Structures are given as C-alpha cells and as structure tokens.
Amino acid sequence: MVNNQNSNMSILLRGLLAENPVFILVLGTCPTLATTTGVVGAFGMGLSATAVLICSNFVISLLRKVIPDTVRIPCYIVLIAGFVTIVQMFIHAFLPELYETLGVYLALITVNCIILGRAEMFANKNTPGKAVLDGIGMGLGFTLALLLMATIREVLGNGSFAGIAIPFMQDHTIGMFVKAPGGMLVFGVLIALVHKITHGKAPVKKDFSCAGCPSAAYCKTGSACASAGQNPEKAEV
C-alpha cells in the first residue's frame, strides 16, 4: 500500500520539475512563447491545457484496450479535439476577454505535443487513476512554467503584473521582453536554471533511432530498421 502511494505521489510530482514538460521535455514551445507576454493569458492557457490533459488522459486510458493500435493516434486527436472544443466554448461564453487574448492558440491545444505525448506515452499504458494523476502533474508543471515566464516578461516588459501597474517599474521597462527575442531569452535562461537545479539528472533521450519510436512496428521504416538490426542507416525507407 505504501509503495502504491509513493508511486502515485511520484507520478503527480514529477511533472513539476523532474519531467517538467516545458523546461525539461521542451514540449509545447509554441504556446509557451506566444501566450506568456501576460500573466492572465498564461494562466488561462495553462488551466485550459490542464483541463484537456486530465480529461483526455482519463478517457484514453479507459479506452486503451479498445482502440486498435493502427488507428490510435487519429483516435487520440479526435478525443482531444472534442475536449478542446468544450473548453473553447466554455471560455468563449463565460470569459470572452480571455478568449480574445488566447486567440488561435486556444484551438491549437488540440495539437499540443504535451497532450498527445502523454496520451501516447502514459495514458495508453496505465490505469485511469494514474492517467489522471499524470494529467494533473503535467498540467500543473505546464501552468507553473507559463506563469514563471509570463511574470518575468510582463514585469520587465510592461512594468505590470496581471495587468496591474507596478509604479516603480513603469519608467524602467524593457520592451524587448514582450517580443519574440525576449521570450526566447527568458525561455533559454530558465531552461539553463532548471538544468542547474536538477544537476543535469533530468531524463534525456539518447536514442533517436526507430527502435525508440512507439509506432516503429506499424511503419515501413520501423520494420526495415528492425530487420537491419535496429540501424536506421541501413533501413530502406
């Protein structure tokens, strides 16, 4: 029982730092850079993605033994798109200003690689309970990463926090931070800091061959790689 609790706690917490989807796995970079010019937009994007992540993980885990392997990715995308549509309609109806702020990036949660990646790598292989914990942990990690970036960029770039002006910062803003170069700068610095904090012990993918691909068995390249001793250089594409 104790081991199970530890396992569940580990699943919940690893998305915050050890496997943070933004700073460690470097996923969801497009919405990360685009929606972190302000704290409100970043928080809204984080919560929206978290809601979709939890719901899609749960349903995909429930259906993991029903969905055929050959069409699982299209099925995941359809399920995720359904939840994104629900979240989008809810925000449009009750939070129209946030809807306008997020714009097209709200709909693009459908193809957010964090959500599709967790569906493929975790929800598809674990029970619904653990899938929900993974969704909560990864969603919180994504949200906290967005908030951290947005706070730095808005305070330094606009002299405000969540749209509230900071008096002593108003005359000392650096406009670059709310533009693309500033976003990339903050992103890179934070990745370096997280790497330092984790002492470089965060998981790093070392095998980029077809052998490490979950879809290797269903594509011509993967089959050829397997027959060539898992050496993609010898495989016939």
Side-chain angles (χ1 to χ4, degrees), residues 31 35 39-57 80-92 95 98-110 112 114-115 135 138-140 142-144 146-147:
T35 63
V39 170
V40 174
F43 187 62
M45 172 57 70
L47 288 187
S48 300
T50 299
V52 174
L53 188 53
I54 294 170
C55 294
S56 61
N57 265 17
I80 293 169
F83 288 120
V84 170
T85 301
I86 294 172
V87 170
Q88 192 174 8
M89 292 174 66
F90 179 86
I91 293 176
H92 195 186
L95 299 167
L98 179 61
Y99 181 83
E100 292 296 328
T101 299
L102 296 179
V104 68
Y105 293 101
L106 187 59
L108 287 176
I109 293 176
T110 302
N112 189 315
I114 297 173
I115 298 173
M138 289 293 168
L140 287 177
F142 180 60
T143 303
L144 290 176
L146 293 184
L147 285 176

Side-chain angles (χ1 to χ4, degrees), residues 5-175:
Q5 289 177 345
N6 290 337
S7 176
N8 290 339
M9 185 60 67
S10 174
I11 292 171
L12 182 63
L13 295 179
R14 67 188 176 190
L16 299 180
L17 184 62
E19 294 185 22
N20 186 277
V22 175
F23 298 135
I24 297 297
L25 303 181
V26 196
L27 300 174
T29 304
C30 183
T32 297
L33 294 173
T35 63
T36 54
T37 54
V39 170
V40 174
F43 187 62
M45 172 57 70
L47 288 187
S48 300
T50 299
V52 174
L53 188 53
I54 294 170
C55 294
S56 61
N57 265 17
F58 178 71
V59 173
I60 287 170
S61 180
L62 282 177
L63 300 176
R64 67 188 187 282
K65 296 181 180 178
V66 178
I67 299 175
D69 280 341
T70 52
V71 294
R72 67 184 186 282
I73 299 300
C75 290
Y76 296 166
I77 293 175
V78 170
L79 288 170
I80 293 169
F83 288 120
V84 170
T85 301
I86 294 172
V87 170
Q88 192 174 8
M89 292 174 66
F90 179 86
I91 293 176
H92 195 186
F94 297 102
L95 299 167
E97 292 184 3
L98 179 61
Y99 181 83
E100 292 296 328
T101 299
L102 296 179
V104 68
Y105 293 101
L106 187 59
L108 287 176
I109 293 176
T110 302
V111 291
N112 189 315
C113 45
I114 297 173
I115 298 173
L116 189 58
R118 299 319 295 175
E120 175 67 13
M121 301 307 297
F122 194 91
N124 186 41
K125 301 176 177 64
N126 291 275
T127 62
K130 289 186 176 182
V132 168
L133 289 176
D134 179 74
I136 295 173
M138 289 293 168
L140 287 177
F142 180 60
T143 303
L144 290 176
L146 293 184
L147 285 176
L148 180 57
M149 280 194 62
T151 298
I152 295 172
R153 295 182 68 187
E154 184 178 353
V155 170
L156 295 180
N158 286 332
S160 63
F161 178 81
I164 302 173
I166 303 175
F168 60 89
M169 287 294 298
Q170 287 293 295
D171 297 327
H172 304 283
T173 58
I174 306 173

